Amino acid sequence: MLFSMRIVLAILPSLYASLASARVQRRAVVPGQWSLVQNGTTGVSALELAVTSENTVVVLDKVEHNPLSVDGHIAWASEVNLETKAVRPLNPASNTWCATGSFLSNGTLVSSGGNPIVITGDDGRQAIRLFTPCNDGTCDIFENQDVIRLTSFRWYPSSIRIEDGSVLIFGGTTIGGFASNASIDNPTYEFFPSKNINGFNGLQIPSQFLRESINGNQFPVLVYLPDGTIFVASDRSAMILDWKTNTETQLPPIPNGIRITSPFSAGATLLPLTPENDYTPEILICGGSTFPSSVADDVDSQFPTSNQCSRLVLNAAGIAAGWQVESMPVPRIMTDLILLPDGRVVIVNGAQTGLAGYGHGTNNIGASDADHPALLAVVYDPAAPLGQRFSSDGIPASDIPRMYHSTATLTPDGSILLAGSNPNTDVSTVRFATEYRMEFLSPPYMSLPRPTFTGLPETVDFAHVFEMSVSLPSTASNVSVALMDLGFATHGVHMDQRMLTLVSSLSSDKKTLAVTGPPTPALFPPGPAYLFVVTDEGVPSSGRKILVGTGAAPPNDADATANMMKVSAQSGADWPSPPTRGEGGDMATAIIPVESA
């Protein structure tokens, strides 16, 4: 246990002072008009999205009849150049439908899990796919389940990079369906590369928390905490996982019975960690649903979603005080929470009624289980006074619904990329059609003179001090440094997204900036990051990519890997058959004709 709840409650009054000091510090932000521009397409529908360099993103879709092709067959993955908007097809071997993704300490993207329903390619449920970004357009996805694979089938898992640079893969189901249940649940977690830990030599480790949080435990929320433990939220429950001892410590449940993980998908993020708040972690979760988790065939696309946002400070005082609840301007499900370099959170995408999925119930919109798209982004300032944190001032509304299977991410230039949406079995033109168009939502700071810098090393080790040459706008008097993991986005979940303010010192002539790397690997697990210099007026530079740590690969226990490969089974003979209706249902293998709108 992290602490005794009984002791905490006994000393609660004396702890509120420390809770108040843990709040995110207020900083300057740029007011004014935002811009929203449609520019380019993704080639495949953006079900999953990750920034892989200063000018590229990788897009992963399910196997479907996309217009893009590769190696003589339809493509379901692409690399998009954010500057030229050029699209390059990628060629995974298996179905990436509802997989997760995280980066290793050496910068390699790990995509894991997926779906067996195929037009072409292999069963993806046990797959591990590796993509190492390159600058010459030749890199592709490596995948060979005879060489590397998961311990077991995982559809709808989550993942997180931990402090040694490896990835923990958590939960999922063995086959598709509207929601999890005991017959298809995979209430376990594992590591890549494999570990011999807690008596499990490369094998999956059971989680009682996952067992108890069905039926809504798909794509659980994972956040790595500064003490080396993991915050986990699933359905209406939350806990702290100490992966080093395989210990689960329950936290206060999500307030008001709101379900927050798929198919009741809320958005979540870790708020910025700063020296000023002593790197105290605080979680923000917005949206979700109170729809009954046991109802699988009576989904109502008009069922109200939640406008609740909940914050929990993850120290003794904060946990004892419980969740702080506030309300978004409109309710949302399937929403994305995107951190900005100025410390604010942008709430985008999703719907105002229904659930995350398609093909269930009797009042679908097209095939969608949700309706009333949330077209207007909302900015949330976590440092503003309660009651003054939400605003859409100056933000234009989109005319592109971003429903189920949509994504969003901060890009290195400081804008937000909106992509995807496809609540359909295959490529479709019905209401809430398959979406390929990209939009870029740009905050007002992008129209102002911005700081620039040179001299950033390729790798920045922990507590290492380095210097950069900076050029600041004439009105800036000081700067801060935001180190950001832009994460891996799918289903409103942003694996590994985080922002850490680094200790920095600007020279008296404002030309040299001394910066200290993250204090510990638990504060920022080693791996790729983007460094932004932010003026005291709230204007960030463009982000430059670095590798935090030494850039080395994570530890690899060959014996644990060999044991995992020996014990794990690739055969799906003992697993349930896929559903024939709705999400995860059987997909036609012929070209599907265009449907009338």
Side-chain angles (χ1 to χ4, degrees), residues 318-371:
I319 295 170
W323 294 88
Q324 179 189 81
V325 176
E326 47 198 315
S327 297
M328 293 185 288
V330 298
R332 290 182 187 249
I333 197 167
M334 304 177 292
T335 192
D336 292 87
L337 270 57
I338 310 297
L339 287 170
L340 292 179
D342 63 16
R344 294 178 295 170
V345 180
V346 180
I347 303 171
V348 295
N349 294 351
Q352 298 178 63
T353 64
L355 296 172
Y358 62 83
H360 305 96
T362 56
N363 65 342
N364 301 117
I365 309 301
S368 173
D369 291 338
D371 195 8

Side-chain angles (χ1 to χ4, degrees), residues 295-310:
V295 179
D297 294 314
D298 193 23
V299 175
D300 182 0
S301 65
Q302 306 306 308
F303 190 86
T305 60
S306 173
N307 67 349
Q308 176 174 286
C309 280
S310 304

Side-chain angles (χ1 to χ4, degrees), residues 191-203:
F191 299 91
F192 180 79
S194 299
K195 295 184 184 299
N196 185 350
I197 187 171
N198 296 319
F200 296 89
N201 186 17
L203 305 182

